[in-house]
Amino acid sequence: MSIPASAKQEIAELRQQLNYHNRLYYTLDAPEIPDSDYDALFDRLVKLESEYDAVSPDSPTQRVGDKPLSQFEQVTHKLPMLSLDKVFGEGDLRDFEKRMHKRLGSDEELEYSCEPKVDGVAVSLLYSDGVLERAATRGDGLIGEDITHNVRTIHSIPLRLDGKNLTGLLEIRGEIFLGKDGFARLNKWAEAESGKIFVNPRNTAAGAVRQLDPRKASRIPLKMVCYSVGMMEGITLPNRLSEIFEQLNAWGLPVNADRSTETGIAGCLNYCLALQEKRNTLDYEIDGAVIKLNDLVTQQQLGQNARTPRWAMAYKFPAEEKTTRVLDVEFQVGRTGTITPVARLDPVFVGGVTVSNTTLHNMDELGRLGLRIGDTVVVRRAGDVIPKVVRVLHPEKNANPKAVQMPNTCPACGAAVEKDGDVLYRCSAGIICPAQRKESIKHFASRTAMDIEGLGEKLVEQLVDGGLVSSVDGIFDLTAEQLSNLDRMGKKSAENLISAIEKSKQTTLPKFLFALGIREVGEATAQSLVEHYGDLQLIMEATAEQHEQVTDIGPIVAHHIATFFNNNDNKVLINKLIDHGLHLSKVEAHKAKPLQGQVWVLTGTLEAMPRNEAKALLIEQGAKVAGSVSKNTHYVVAGPGAGSKRTKAEELGITIIDEEAFLNTIKGLGTKIP
Ligand code: IVH
């Protein structure tokens, strides 16, 4: 359909206005117009685009696609995504500068770009002629996953760069994260909606970018900051990182306002200490600072090690510690019946979260700490690690100490508590204990297991207490009528839950195995089992000795797995679940091999294995291994003594990696190194 010039002009203007207000709202947190005005502009654009059939992928109306993906595509990064070496203190940071001075053969003062180390997920954005074409996760640094559908929903990421004559390709690297504010809002909403809350911002962001359904990702208020550029073709940028940031900012890309350009390592240290000081006041989680040489020519001169640049360093903050008081110690029954002491604490803000209770793991740990109720304790939290009581302070000052004792009976069902091994205690009632039932159902329904949206902790409690569900298979017998009779459950929510239950039946075998809650079988072990056996029946029939042959499974876990499947009740349960129509796909079978389409060349001496073994490993992952380097080569693995092939690869600008990086890549793809 031909569009009248006036409509074309109006569409262009509306897009520009919306992009402008989007940026003010989402990136700069300084809106100029009320939401209702924004909505009016948006609605007008939607109307015009539909009237004149003028939708284009970079229009602000096109952020959220309406179809979920069936699987992630793999993406080979145009330049590898590197990682960072890290230091923990002043001395090591000074050594970093000394090493650079030595390599450069000069003691001249260096200029640095100092930035917060944002705790999120790395992303690479590919802009083609200024339009966002593709977004990918870091993956193993060489190959990531295509997450464009989710990244488009992040409002601070422009779908089109705001610049003139932007022809060519530009890869932008940065971190996707969830601000503290957004996280709190999200949890408020999640708590009301399903009773299930998200554990921390980093994991939530990581989960959101790996959603197959962009509508789900769009509910998480993700943000992004750019921290470097990758490949550039036809686009030139300044030679100083600080100036590149200015340019990216001018194009509408989000850059970190807390960055700073510093001179000498002393300046960097001041920056790190100041950042550490204001860490709690930032609206996003950080776990340190990143120090980078500002001059790109010097960066290139220094080059890189296997996976990390020699010109950048992460300065990690020490784990944060705070003191608080132990108000009580309670005992919690886990899904396998283990009874664990949990400290109830006077709430304390540490490492970016308020901690009001934390596990004490077992009675031995309690004894080691010498902890009693009423004691003042030091609580430590590092990164996203679970907060930990590390020591008791001035035990003599506790005027009214109360010793902690393991109860004789289970706090949930009153059955006798029995000792299991040297340190653990367990409820003797097994699955008839309501706590175990509740915990196993909560685990079964959880996001990383069967992912039954809406079946959160509170609802599980209601269902078990009300006698509607007594085992995980009972979930599949629930009806919308039963559910709508529950407190705070409307007809619509009941129907939604029933369809979420129905939807969860289409799952994968690893998720199902994980959902069964076999002792010590986490997601990775479940995945290894499926990769090894390929089939549920074979897993169920295998002996403990056979399980020990599986990657990363030792004798104890092997024993747990065999015991679980030898138990007749468990076999009956699995059959009942399958009879409910569970469809367990093996995902792996459909996936393209990770190195499909890539050409590798091996040169020089390999120390860990003969050349033909290395070649076999690459072929197993889908790569072609060529004898000579050409412009079609993707990677060259160069060991000591590499000669002309290495030189040719350098001339052609092909990525050269050493043996260590090669082995890490192969390991990262899940191949056992012989
Ligand atoms: S630079 C070539 N800068 O930290 C340098 N990374 O531990 C590559 N990260 O994978 C990274 N904030 O995901 C850089 N300001 C920042 C960062 C940052 C967070 C993450 C990034 C990287 C990881 C390395």
Side-chain angles (χ1 to χ4, degrees):
M1 182 190 291
S2 73
I3 314 177
S6 63
K8 202 168 177 179
Q9 164 108 18
E10 190 180 353
I11 288 175
E13 276 171 14
L14 281 166
R15 285 183 183 162
Q16 205 174 17
Q17 278 177 308
L18 284 164
N19 284 337
Y20 171 76
H21 291 298
N22 236 329
R23 183 160 160 76
L24 287 178
Y25 186 90
Y26 288 104
T27 305
L28 306 172
D29 201 12
E32 277 174 5
I33 55 171
D35 290 358
S36 53
D37 289 6
Y38 180 92
D39 293 344
L41 293 172
F42 193 90
D43 292 345
R44 173 83 185 139
L45 179 58
V46 170
K47 186 162 174 281
L48 288 176
E49 284 180 344
S50 113
E51 205 168 307
Y52 296 106
D53 206 5
V55 173
S56 87
D58 60 330
S59 166
T61 60
Q62 300 302 305
R63 285 200 173 264
V64 189
D66 55 2
K67 276 198 206 72
L69 266 56
S70 56
Q71 68 178 72
F72 290 102
E73 295 294 325
Q74 297 198 322
V75 168
T76 305
H77 298 298
K78 299 216 179 269
L79 274 183
M81 286 184 81
L82 300 178
S83 179
L84 291 169
D85 283 331
K86 50 180 179 275
V87 294
F88 288 91
E90 179 177 342
D92 291 339
L93 198 59
R94 289 191 187 282
D95 287 348
F96 160 61
E97 183 170 66
K98 278 189 204 139
R99 281 198 299 277
M100 289 194 291
H101 274 145
K102 196 167 162 208
R103 267 195 177 263
L104 294 169
S106 133
D107 273 352
E108 70 169 320
E109 197 150 54
L110 296 169
E111 192 181 65
Y112 297 91
S113 167
C114 300
E115 304 150 31
K117 188 166 185 302
V118 180
D119 205 6
V121 199
V123 67
S124 179
L125 309 176
L126 181 68
Y127 282 91
S128 171
D129 296 341
V131 176
L132 177 65
E133 186 169 282
R134 195 184 67 196
T137 59
R138 176 174 184 278
D140 63 0
L142 302 177
I143 301 168
E145 282 177 325
D146 190 326
I147 51 165
T148 317
H149 59 297
N150 294 331
V151 166
R152 290 176 64 87
T153 71
I154 304 175
H155 288 271
S156 57
I157 298 182
L159 299 177
R160 171 185 282 279
L161 299 180
D162 186 11
K164 298 224 158 39
N165 305 326
L166 278 170
T167 44
L169 290 178
L170 174 63
E171 242 180 357
I172 300 283
R173 267 80 194 268
E175 197 84 351
I176 291 181
F177 65 100
L178 182 55
K180 292 177 189 167
D181 226 30
F183 181 66
R185 258 187 293 133
L186 179 70
N187 260 348
K188 233 185 187 165
W189 170 80
E191 167 96 79
E193 193 77 358
S194 66
K196 269 202 278 191
I197 61 161
F198 295 89
V199 182
N200 64 43
R202 207 203 78 84
N203 291 2
T204 312
V209 299
R210 295 204 72 260
Q211 285 287 349
L212 286 166
D213 187 347
R215 289 165 300 192
K216 282 193 184 168
S218 73
R219 286 180 222 145
I220 315 286
L222 296 171
K223 295 184 175 175
M224 185 212 171
V225 276
C226 304
Y227 55 61
S228 70
V229 287
M231 194 262 316
M232 282 182 275
E233 229 176 62
I235 289 180
T236 32
L237 278 168
N239 262 337
R240 293 165 83 224
L241 192 51
S242 50
E243 289 165 20
I244 291 181
F245 286 140
E246 294 305 327
Q247 177 63 76
L248 300 186
N249 186 42
W251 284 334
L253 283 158
V255 291
N256 200 321
D258 299 304
R259 70 187 188 281
S260 169
T261 311
E262 301 287 341
T263 311
I265 219 67
C268 297
L269 265 167
N270 284 340
Y271 173 86
C272 292
L273 298 178
L275 186 67
Q276 197 171 328
E277 200 58 29
K278 69 174 182 184
R279 178 181 190 180
N280 288 337
T281 64
L282 297 174
D283 178 43
Y284 50 94
E285 298 262 5
I286 60 172
D287 59 349
V290 183
I291 312 297
K292 299 170 187 164
L293 271 194
N294 203 25
D295 182 55
L296 267 64
V297 178
T298 323
Q299 283 185 6
Q300 250 166 9
Q301 234 175 308
L302 286 167
Q304 64 182 67
N305 296 315
R307 276 156 295 123
T308 54
R310 294 200 184 94
W311 43 265
M313 189 57 79
Y315 176 93
K316 300 277 272 190
F317 293 153
E320 210 187 336
E321 293 188 349
K322 286 274 177 66
T323 61
T324 187
R325 227 169 63 86
V326 178
L327 304 177
D328 199 0
V329 173
E330 291 172 5
F331 288 87
Q332 234 171 32
V333 192
R335 67 187 143 87
T336 54
T338 316
I339 301 183
T340 338
V342 177
R344 303 279 170 230
L345 303 170
D346 203 358
V348 58
F349 192 75
V350 53
V353 291
T354 302
V355 180
S356 46
N357 55 55
T358 184
T359 176
L360 296 164
H361 302 288
N362 54 52
M363 293 306 279
D364 256 28
E365 171 79 353
L366 236 147
R368 192 188 62 73
L369 291 166
L371 182 144
R372 300 151 315 163
I373 296 164
D375 278 346
T376 298
V377 290
V378 175
V379 177
R380 175 190 297 164
R381 182 177 181 268
D384 61 358
V385 176
I386 304 168
K388 190 173 159 53
V389 173
V390 282
R391 60 183 175 276
V392 174
L393 280 184
H394 309 298
E396 71 288 354
K397 289 195 184 159
N398 184 351
N400 190 13
K402 224 174 110 194
V404 181
Q405 267 186 336
M406 175 59 65
N408 293 323
T409 55
C410 168
C413 72
V417 168
E418 52 192 29
K419 207 153 183 218
D420 175 11
D422 288 340
V423 288
L424 295 185
Y425 289 82
R426 191 177 292 284
C427 160
S428 60
I431 196 77
I432 56 162
C433 164
Q436 293 183 53
R437 223 180 279 160
K438 284 176 187 169
E439 292 307 313
S440 60
I441 297 170
K442 283 177 199 168
H443 171 76
F444 186 82
S446 63
R447 205 183 312 273
T448 41
M450 297 294 284
D451 193 17
I452 306 181
E453 213 183 335
L455 186 50
E457 300 207 2
K458 291 205 174 125
L459 189 53
V460 171
E461 310 249 333
Q462 267 184 298
L463 292 173
V464 174
D465 292 341
L468 289 177
V469 175
S470 58
S471 160
V472 291
D473 60 306
I475 296 173
F476 298 102
D477 289 321
L478 286 168
T479 63
E481 292 77 60
Q482 282 176 320
L483 289 172
S484 47
N485 286 334
L486 294 172
D487 271 0
R488 297 194 317 161
M489 172 77 78
K491 190 161 171 270
K492 185 80 195 127
S493 321
E495 280 165 5
N496 286 345
L497 183 57
I498 293 293
S499 56
I501 293 172
E502 202 48 41
K503 197 169 140 217
S504 76
K505 289 182 181 172
Q506 302 298 320
T507 185
T508 65
L509 186 49
K511 278 179 171 249
F512 176 72
L513 280 177
F514 173 60
L516 290 174
I518 307 165
R519 282 179 71 186
E520 294 190 43
V521 174
E523 289 164 88
T525 308
Q527 182 71 43
S528 303
L529 280 169
V530 174
E531 276 166 17
H532 186 89
Y533 294 101
D535 178 74
L536 177 60
Q537 205 55 39
L538 292 176
I539 301 174
M540 290 177 73
E541 285 163 7
T543 61
E545 291 73 47
Q546 286 170 317
H547 291 318
E548 277 188 57
Q549 304 305 312
V550 179
T551 319
D552 294 334
I553 294 188
I556 298 177
V557 182
H559 170 76
H560 290 326
I561 301 167
T563 311
F564 182 90
F565 289 115
N566 275 335
N567 178 309
N568 203 43
D569 291 345
N570 289 334
K571 286 187 203 158
V572 172
L573 175 70
I574 291 170
N575 285 333
K576 278 194 198 160
L577 287 168
I578 306 277
D579 287 347
H580 275 292
L582 253 53
H583 179 262
L584 309 174
S585 74
K586 282 173 213 134
V587 281
E588 294 328 294
H590 313 295
K591 255 199 202 163
K593 291 192 174 169
L595 305 183
Q596 202 88 44
Q598 292 185 13
V599 181
W600 288 61
V601 171
L602 301 164
T603 178
T605 318
L606 298 184
E607 275 147 17
M609 65 183 80
R611 180 89 58 90
N612 60 351
E613 274 179 31
K615 187 173 168 182
L617 289 174
L618 285 165
I619 292 172
E620 193 185 320
Q621 297 295 341
K624 272 200 190 136
V625 181
S628 59
V629 177
S630 74
K631 64 176 182 359
N632 298 326
T633 310
H634 290 85
Y635 296 102
V636 172
V637 182
S644 62
K645 290 183 194 169
R646 183 187 186 112
T647 318
K648 177 120 190 244
E650 278 168 354
E651 278 165 18
L652 293 171
I654 289 161
T655 308
I656 303 172
I657 62 174
D658 62 12
E659 187 176 1
E660 190 192 341
F662 161 69
L663 292 174
N664 283 326
T665 306
I666 294 288
K667 273 191 225 154
L669 299 173
T671 297
K672 252 191 181 176
I673 307 291

